[in-house]
């Protein structure tokens, strides 16, 4: 019998095959980037949500995957995707120091943990949003998954840390050898222009809970 977990595990495995995240697979198929996010797989009241046949067809077309190949992914999956623990820390606490190395990778103690699908590869960690300064994209209690080892491009949603210890979630507008321009997620806040030498690190946001 085909299960909810098998179908989603198959999509995760297909994304891995093409070195994509769940969001990357959705974008490649011409879908909204959040279509396959873990938060979309179960409704608030606990009901299982299945990907539509149209979404599956678009994914197979975009990745050149035959129906037989996709079925093989399904048959090779057992239950829900394997989980792995990720370091978790509150956004406000993260700016206190001692939680990141110079490259923006998690270090030291004081981190909590959450489980996340193992299909997300590389070093990643979670930050929990507090307050409403990042509305309308991120609300109080949302968790963002940050990948310090991923390349950062113009237009990406990012977390940036200054040498003074300020940590912020922004949109990267421009980055040169001399300056960094960051647009606020909250439209009421102005664009931040920083000297490049004042920015300790910038890391890409892969995913956010809803």
């Amino acid at each position: 019998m085909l299960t909810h977990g098998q179908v989603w595990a198959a999509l995760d495995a297909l994304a891995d095959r093409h070195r994509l995240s769940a969001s990357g697979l959705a974008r490649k198929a011409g879908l909204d980037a959040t279509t396959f996010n873990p938060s979309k797989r179960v409704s608030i009241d606990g009901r299982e949500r299945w990907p539509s046949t149209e979404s599956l067809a678009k994914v197979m077309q975009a990745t050149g995957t035959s129906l037989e190949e996709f079925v093989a992914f399904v048959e090779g999956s057992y239950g829900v995707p394997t989980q792995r623990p990720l370091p978790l820390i509150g956004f406000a606490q993260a700016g206190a120091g001692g939680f990141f190395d110079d490259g923006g990778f998690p270090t030291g103690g004081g981190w909590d943990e959450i489980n996340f699908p193992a299909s997300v590869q590389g070093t990643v960690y979670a930050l929990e949003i507090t307050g409403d300064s990042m509305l309308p994209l991120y609300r109080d209690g949302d968790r963002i998954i940050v990948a310090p080892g991923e390349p950062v491009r113009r237009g990406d949603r990012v977390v940036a840390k200054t040498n003074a210890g300020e940590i912020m979630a922004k949109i990267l507008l421009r980055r040169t050898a001399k300056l960094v321009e960051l647009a606020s997620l909250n439209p009421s806040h102005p664009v931040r222009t920083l000297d490049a030498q004042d920015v300790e690190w910038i890391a890409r946001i892969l995913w956010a809970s809803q």
Side-chain angles (χ1 to χ4, degrees):
M1 179 179 176
L2 189 63
T3 69
H4 174 265
Q6 283 178 310
V7 173
W8 283 114
L11 279 169
D12 286 335
L14 182 58
D16 281 348
R17 176 182 177 183
H18 292 273
R19 299 180 181 275
L20 295 169
S21 64
S23 295
L25 182 64
R27 286 194 295 267
K28 185 176 181 68
L31 302 169
D32 185 275
T34 66
T35 301
F36 300 143
N37 280 359
S39 61
K40 296 293 184 71
R41 303 179 186 188
V42 180
S43 65
I44 295 176
D45 59 6
R47 289 182 295 107
E48 294 179 340
R49 287 177 173 171
W50 295 66
S52 69
T53 53
E54 180 181 6
S55 296
L56 293 177
K58 288 182 177 180
V59 164
M60 287 187 283
Q61 182 177 6
T63 58
T65 303
S66 68
L67 178 59
E68 291 76 17
E69 287 174 323
F70 186 77
V71 170
F73 277 115
V74 173
E75 292 176 342
S77 305
Y78 300 94
V80 297
T82 301
Q83 302 282 308
R84 66 160 169 152
L86 295 188
L88 166 70
I89 198 169
F91 206 91
Q93 184 185 4
F99 295 104
F100 304 97
D101 64 16
D102 292 342
F105 289 84
T107 187
W111 293 81
D112 200 348
E113 286 187 347
I114 60 170
N115 286 323
F116 203 71
S119 56
V120 178
Q121 301 298 311
T123 300
V124 293
Y125 60 86
L127 292 175
E128 186 168 79
I129 303 299
T130 54
D132 59 3
S133 64
M134 299 176 198
L135 289 172
L137 293 180
Y138 304 136
R139 301 165 297 180
D140 184 66
D142 282 352
R143 290 169 175 176
I144 57 177
I145 305 302
V146 183
E150 289 289 315
V152 177
R153 301 179 180 86
R154 185 176 183 177
D156 283 347
R157 296 177 187 179
V158 299
V159 172
K161 182 176 185 292
T162 68
N163 293 329
E166 181 183 6
I167 291 197
M168 62 194 96
K170 300 285 185 180
I171 298 172
L172 180 64
L173 291 184
R174 189 160 67 116
R175 187 182 193 183
T176 70
K178 293 185 177 180
L179 60 84
V180 174
E181 288 187 353
L182 300 167
S184 178
L185 301 174
N186 188 326
S188 66
H189 293 185
V191 171
R192 292 282 300 273
T193 301
L194 304 169
D195 288 339
Q197 64 183 7
D198 293 332
V199 179
E200 185 171 336
W201 51 258
I202 298 177
R204 187 155 70 93
I205 296 173
L206 286 185
W207 175 87
S209 66
Q210 301 292 327

